[in-house]
Amino acid sequence: MSDRLKESTKRFPLLPLRDVIIFPHMVVPLFVGREKSIAALEEAAKFNHELFLVTQRDASVLNPEKNDLYQVGVVVNIIQMLRLPDNTVKVLIEGKYRAKVKDIKSMEKCYMADVTDFQDEIKNVMEMEAVMRSIKSIFEQYVKLNKRIPPELLMSISAITEGSRLADIIVAHLNMKIHEKQEILGASVVEERLQLLLGKMQGEIEIINVEKRIRSRVKSQMEKSQKEYYLNEQMNAIQRELGTREDGKSEINEMEEKLEAKAMPKEAKEKTAKEIRRLKTMSPMSAESAVVRNYIDWMLNLPWDNYSTDDNNVNKARHILDEEHFGLQEVKERILEYLSVRSLVAEGGKGTILCLAGPPGVGKTSIARSLANSLNRSFTRISLGGVRDEAEIRGHRRTYVGAMPGKIVQALKKAGTSNPVILLDEIDKMSSDFRGDPSSAMLEVLDPEQNKNFGDHYIEVEYDLSKVMFIMTANDLSQIPGPLRDRMEIIHIAGYTPHEKMMIAKNYLVKKSNKQNGLEKYDVKYNDQSLIKVIRGYSRESGVRELERLLNTIARKIATEVVSKSVPVGKKYSINEKLVEKFLGPVKFDQTDIEVDRKEVGLVNGLAWTSSGGDVLHVEVVTSPGVGKIEITGKLGEVMQESARAALSFVKSISPQLGVDSGWYTKNDIHIHVPEGATPKDGPSAGITLATALTSAITGISVKQSVAMTGEITLRGRVLPIGGLKEKLLAAKQAGITTVVIPYKNAAGLIKIPEEIKSDLNIVPVKSCEEVLKVALDLTHPEQFMKVVASAAPKLTVIENEENKSRVAN
């Protein structure tokens, strides 16, 4: 007996189904996403591509147990399997025969099911034949009512002689609930299965007939409504002819009157009139009429020839700018120059295109709003961060569903005039993909010679942008394409000094934080020392956003105390250094981060510029016995790696005079590292820093940690100029550096650096690397060292012959 039972039990990989039931003889595709289900499909290859499918009682269960599944399922054969890009699997299966679940085991990869064959039972052949005939007749009626079932199916149904096969094929085409289909699947007696199917089919036919009657009734009601609408329109027309009814203004008439009164170019007016005539001939219910109506609304609502009158009062503008912004003198001067020119030029001059470039939080966006206020112009802002579609600028063509104008035209509609101040925020954050390059589309917008004929794909007529004042903001100019950058007048805004930050906090940020946190009725005052402590001890940024957040933190702490202790209105809070530390915690940034009194071998302080301001960059070099290997780490960019190689070549060229044997480089390894390895670094201005660190590590001479430097180096040891001088000096001062080495050609720019930054800094301009080494290295006899290095540095020799003249470095 046990042997017979063992033979009748089979094991298959189990695939639980959700909201679907498979019958024998069905060929259907399935999409499989659960990991165990996908593993079951792969496991089926070991079982002659067969697996067991059974439906879950509750589709929401992710990891079903035996009690979560119906008892009867179907053994299927896998015909085809395809893995899709989203990691799901599409599988084509064919149902073979019913089987009953005996046991389920959850393996490591998938479920396995022990099943027994589910034998069909026929009790009365005559009764089965009678029911089969009734089913075929009823199914023929069902096919005639349900247009989704192909009539060809009737031919194959009529040829079926097996009751079980007939039920399995027909039930797949019926609209039934899961438990109803499972009831038919689980019926072991064929006559009962057919009786269940017959009852369900008759119920479906009744439902279809009811739906048909409802549709017929709704259709007749709609026809009646349309008839009434038509007759009402005729009645209204007759009443108007008889003079018994006033002719109300139709929507189209309103459009025509608005067009007549609208001041707009001739081409735009003709185009709009043409579209209104098209709309007259269209049915109000057509989809095209909605597109045309939307286009007409845009054309009529654009400002076109509507210009606001500028207020060119220079003194008023200066007062507004000084009242709302501290510092930013270069930007303010340029704005006042623009207003002065507009006052003198009869036609008002061309539109201005300014680009404010600087680190985050220095007031680039807010000063554009102040400019609009001083000019008495409308102001609107367009955020370009993440824009990657050219149609975002030029608009979509009207052939597209949901088409609309680009951001420029939308901004003009929002502003209500054709000469607003438009702020193109974060223009360096634009990108491009297969949909086009929006930065190329901006070339026309930002060119004063072309933008008077700006073409938007949606409005299809030219729009004059020449009177618009465009102001852009950017953090990193290197991310802006050259042709686009060429069209801008770039004004660099450097980071604020601690004194400037303190004045901004006193005049603006403290009042703002008190207002935002409900402390206007309380006397909250900061002394200068407390503000300086917040600025120097808790934030290291070029702008004032972090400073504003810190002041808001203090204000919230005070607000909490006011509420919890029921402090009376008008109480005075004097914020001193002790309270700052109480509210903000321990000081985060100590001015003694760099131990300026120490001397280190192979460690040099460099100065770097980032889009967030200046920073101190530590360059480390160590040497060890080896085979002449050179290692460069710290996630350095290609330009910085080239600077390292150039610096090493220079140091090698002066090695003999430094007492370093030429064979030393083949017996020792050199490792150059710039800390904070997760942060990408690039640029040529670390050249002299790398050369100094290499010289120190190779010769063993220590470097003064009170010195920081910046400058590009050549193979002959010349020091070339760099950018971002103000930010770098500010970073050095905040880090406690006392001596800064800069390229000699940058010395002329020191006149623009505030005295607050230059004070207490010994700024040393240098022309050659020998001068850098003299300042940075801890030398006993610096003059003697200078003579040695100068004699060792490669000279430039001019070789002339008859054919050409070339410059070769010895």
Side-chain angles (χ1 to χ4, degrees):
M1 181 68 181
S2 61
D3 290 338
R4 288 180 59 195
L5 182 62
K6 196 171 183 180
E7 288 176 7
S8 62
T9 301
K10 301 178 182 177
R11 176 169 288 188
F12 296 98
L14 171 64
L15 178 60
L17 299 176
R18 293 192 285 189
D19 296 329
V20 65
I21 289 183
I22 306 299
F23 284 84
H25 316 295
M26 284 178 65
V27 178
V28 292
L30 297 175
F31 291 88
V32 181
R34 289 187 282 191
E35 291 182 4
K36 283 201 170 186
S37 299
I38 294 173
L41 293 175
E42 295 170 349
E43 189 72 15
K46 302 176 183 178
F47 292 83
N48 197 23
H49 296 286
E50 291 182 343
L51 73 158
F52 179 66
L53 270 57
V54 65
T55 304
Q56 294 180 201
R57 297 179 187 273
D58 185 359
S60 63
V61 178
L62 292 177
N63 298 305
E65 304 293 338
K66 182 179 179 181
N67 294 334
D68 297 322
L69 304 173
Y70 287 106
Q71 290 299 302
V72 180
V74 177
V75 176
V76 302
N77 182 49
I78 298 176
I79 300 174
Q80 188 180 31
M81 192 165 69
L82 177 64
R83 187 173 288 275
L84 302 177
D86 60 351
N87 291 328
T88 60
V89 175
K90 181 180 180 183
V91 59
L92 184 66
I93 54 100
E94 179 184 15
K96 296 181 68 177
Y97 57 87
R98 288 172 170 79
K100 189 171 184 180
V101 178
K102 183 179 180 184
D103 193 17
I104 292 176
K105 290 183 172 57
S106 179
M107 301 299 185
E108 183 180 353
K109 291 185 177 179
C110 65
Y111 292 105
M112 299 297 292
D114 294 329
V115 301
T116 57
D117 290 346
F118 191 85
Q119 299 295 334
D120 289 338
E121 185 179 351
I122 301 175
K123 291 184 177 179
N124 190 327
V125 177
M126 296 294 291
E127 181 182 346
M128 185 185 72
E129 288 289 337
V131 177
M132 285 177 62
R133 290 185 183 182
S134 298
I135 286 175
K136 290 180 180 179
S137 175
I138 294 293
F139 187 70
E140 186 175 353
Q141 297 178 36
Y142 183 81
V143 171
K144 290 179 181 177
L145 292 171
N146 192 341
K147 303 299 182 184
R148 288 176 291 183
I149 300 177
E152 296 82 10
L153 185 63
L154 289 172
M155 298 294 294
S156 58
I157 292 293
S158 62
I160 297 174
T161 58
E162 298 175 31
S164 177
R165 184 182 179 88
L166 178 69
D168 292 341
I169 291 177
I170 288 180
V171 74
H173 294 87
L174 297 182
N175 185 16
M176 296 168 61
K177 296 178 181 177
I178 292 295
H179 69 87
E180 293 175 342
K181 287 189 175 184
Q182 182 66 36
E183 186 181 2
I184 294 174
L185 181 69
S188 59
V189 180
V190 177
E191 298 95 284
E192 292 178 4
R193 195 182 302 165
L194 291 170
Q195 287 284 2
L196 285 170
L197 178 61
L198 182 60
K200 301 296 182 186
M201 287 176 61
Q202 289 173 335
E204 277 295 304
I205 288 175
E206 284 296 323
I207 292 172
I208 291 174
N209 284 327
V210 171
E211 288 179 349
K212 191 174 180 182
R213 287 197 298 271
I214 292 172
R215 283 198 300 269
S216 177
R217 187 160 60 245
V218 170
K219 183 179 179 182
S220 63
Q221 288 175 350
M222 288 180 63
E223 289 175 349
K224 182 181 178 182
S225 299
Q226 290 176 342
K227 181 179 179 181
E228 288 176 353
Y229 173 79
Y230 178 73
L231 292 174
N232 282 329
E233 286 298 309
Q234 282 189 325
M235 188 180 295
N236 291 337
I238 292 170
Q239 288 175 344
R240 285 195 294 270
E241 288 294 323
L242 293 173
T244 58
R245 179 184 176 91
E246 291 185 5
D247 188 2
K249 294 181 180 178
S250 68
E251 183 184 11
I252 292 179
N253 289 340
E254 289 179 3
M255 289 179 178
E256 290 177 333
E257 291 176 5
K258 195 172 181 180
L259 177 64
E260 188 66 29
K262 185 78 173 176
M264 56 197 304
K266 181 180 178 182
E267 182 187 6
K269 183 166 280 194
E270 290 175 353
K271 178 73 174 175
T272 309
K274 180 180 177 182
E275 293 298 321
I276 293 175
R277 289 195 295 272
R278 278 187 65 203
L279 184 62
K280 284 182 180 179
T281 62
M282 290 181 181
S283 167
M285 306 300 293
S286 69
E288 180 69 15
S289 68
V291 175
V292 174
R293 187 179 287 106
N294 190 42
Y295 174 79
I296 295 170
D297 285 341
W298 270 103
M299 295 293 282
L300 293 176
N301 288 316
L302 286 174
W304 295 105
D305 291 337
N306 180 29
Y307 297 95
S308 61
T309 303
D310 286 355
D311 185 353
N312 295 325
N313 189 323
V314 175
N315 294 325
K316 176 188 173 184
R318 181 183 285 111
H319 173 73
I320 291 174
L321 293 173
D322 288 339
E323 185 180 19
E324 297 182 358
H325 291 84
F326 184 85
L328 305 178
Q329 293 304 320
E330 188 176 354
V331 186
K332 292 177 181 178
E333 287 175 11
R334 180 63 186 87
I335 292 169
L336 296 176
E337 290 168 4
Y338 169 74
L339 294 178
S340 302
V341 170
R342 288 188 61 84
S343 301
L344 297 174
V345 177
E347 296 181 0
K350 295 180 180 178
T352 302
I353 298 167
L354 301 178
C355 178
L356 308 179
V362 295
K364 300 185 296 295
T365 303
S366 59
I367 199 167
R369 195 182 300 273
S370 299
L371 169 60
N373 292 339
S374 64
L375 281 171
N376 195 29
R377 285 195 185 190
S378 299
F379 173 81
T380 185
R381 172 180 169 272
I382 299 175
S383 178
L384 296 178
V387 172
R388 58 179 64 241
D389 188 356
E390 179 257 354
E392 293 277 350
I393 307 300
R394 290 186 179 276
H396 298 83
R397 300 188 186 278
R398 283 199 286 157
T399 51
Y400 294 102
V401 176
M404 60 191 305
K407 287 181 177 290
I408 303 297
V409 173
Q410 290 180 41
L412 290 168
K413 180 186 175 184
K414 181 180 177 182
T417 64
S418 288
N419 63 336
V421 175
I422 295 182
L423 175 67
L424 301 175
D425 212 4
E426 309 290 359
I427 196 168
D428 57 327
K429 308 298 189 301
M430 284 194 301
S431 55
S432 59
D433 62 7
F434 65 93
R435 290 169 290 188
D437 184 2
S439 61
S440 299
M442 293 297 294
L443 293 175
E444 181 185 6
V445 176
L446 300 180
D447 192 334
E449 302 298 328
Q450 299 180 36
N451 62 12
K452 62 182 178 182
N453 299 318
F454 173 69
D456 187 277
H457 292 155
Y458 182 82
I459 65 175
E460 297 177 349
V461 293
E462 294 177 347
Y463 201 104
D464 185 4
L465 300 179
S466 61
K467 301 294 191 296
V468 177
M469 185 172 191
F470 288 104
I471 298 181
M472 284 137 288
T473 68
N475 299 130
D476 189 357
L477 290 174
S478 65
Q479 299 298 318
I480 304 175
L484 184 59
R485 195 164 60 243
D486 184 60
R487 285 162 167 77
M488 308 172 184
E489 182 178 342
I490 297 171
I491 298 177
H492 293 275
I493 302 179
Y496 293 117
T497 65
H499 174 71
E500 289 173 333
K501 289 182 181 179
M502 185 185 73
M503 296 304 297
I504 292 170
K506 287 176 68 174
N507 296 333
Y508 309 101
L509 299 183
V510 171
K511 297 175 185 176
K512 185 178 178 182
S513 70
N514 289 343
K515 183 178 180 181
Q516 288 179 346
N517 293 282
L519 298 177
E520 289 179 286
K521 297 179 181 179
Y522 297 86
D523 188 12
V524 180
K525 300 288 185 183
Y526 292 77
N527 59 37
D528 291 354
Q529 290 76 18
S530 62
L531 287 174
I532 289 294
K533 186 177 182 75
V534 174
I535 293 164
R536 292 185 181 273
Y538 295 90
S539 68
R540 272 194 180 172
E541 57 169 349
S542 297
V544 291
R545 284 191 182 140
E546 181 63 23
L547 174 59
E548 184 177 359
R549 282 192 284 268
L550 292 167
L551 293 175
N552 280 327
T553 300
I554 295 173
R556 288 195 300 271
K557 301 283 186 185
I558 297 172
T560 304
E561 183 179 323
V562 165
V563 174
S564 60
K565 296 183 179 180
S566 301
V567 177
V569 173
K571 181 178 177 181
K572 185 175 181 180
Y573 284 89
S574 297
I575 310 299
N576 54 31
E577 294 178 80
K578 188 175 180 181
L579 283 176
V580 166
E581 197 158 342
K582 175 186 173 184
F583 290 141
L584 298 181
V587 173
K588 294 180 181 178
F589 304 106
D590 192 352
Q591 292 293 344
T592 59
D593 283 350
I594 297 175
E595 299 180 34
V596 294
D597 296 331
R598 290 188 61 185
K599 300 177 178 63
E600 297 277 355
V601 174
L603 175 61
V604 182
N605 300 317
L607 297 174
W609 179 90
T610 69
S611 58
S612 299
D615 197 7
V616 177
L617 206 65
H618 304 289
V619 175
E620 301 174 335
V621 177
V622 294
T623 62
S624 57
V627 293
K629 181 181 177 183
I630 298 171
E631 187 82 20
I632 301 176
T633 58
K635 205 171 184 181
L636 308 186
E638 186 177 342
V639 176
M640 200 165 180
Q641 291 190 38
E642 289 179 356
S643 292
R645 288 192 286 270
L648 181 59
S649 296
F650 168 74
V651 175
K652 282 182 178 180
S653 69
I654 64 172
S655 291
Q657 283 74 14
L658 296 175
V660 179
D661 186 77
S662 59
W664 184 93
Y665 292 95
T666 61
K667 299 174 184 177
N668 292 273
D669 293 341
I670 299 175
H671 189 158
I672 302 171
H673 178 67
V674 183
E676 296 186 20
T679 306
K681 311 164 192 73
D682 204 2
S685 63
I688 62 173
T689 311
L690 290 160
T692 305
L694 285 164
T695 303
S696 172
I698 293 169
T699 61
I701 302 173
S702 58
V703 180
K704 301 172 188 174
Q705 295 305 297
S706 60
V707 178
M709 59 190 68
T710 179
E712 183 179 354
I713 192 173
T714 68
L715 288 175
R716 299 194 305 278
R718 290 172 53 218
V719 181
L720 302 183
I722 46 83
L725 182 61
K726 179 182 176 181
E727 288 85 354
K728 292 178 178 180
L729 292 176
L730 182 57
K733 188 176 181 67
Q734 289 179 339
I737 298 293
T738 59
T739 302
V740 179
V741 178
I742 66 170
Y744 183 81
K745 291 187 177 179
N746 284 109
L750 290 172
I751 193 171
K752 291 187 176 182
I753 306 297
E755 284 298 327
E756 181 191 353
I757 296 177
K758 293 187 290 185
S759 64
D760 301 327
L761 278 182
N762 177 25
I763 302 173
V764 183
V766 295
K767 294 181 180 179
S768 63
C769 198
E770 304 92 84
E771 300 174 60
V772 178
L773 297 176
K774 176 185 174 183
V775 174
L777 297 181
D778 184 28
L779 301 172
T780 309
H781 302 288
E783 295 81 7
Q784 183 179 356
F785 181 80
M786 281 283 289
K787 292 177 181 179
V788 170
V789 176
S791 64
K795 300 296 186 297
L796 195 68
T797 302
V798 179
I799 300 176
E800 299 184 8
N801 56 32
E802 297 178 357
E803 297 180 359
N804 61 6
K805 295 181 179 181
S806 61
R807 306 178 75 190
V808 180
N810 287 336

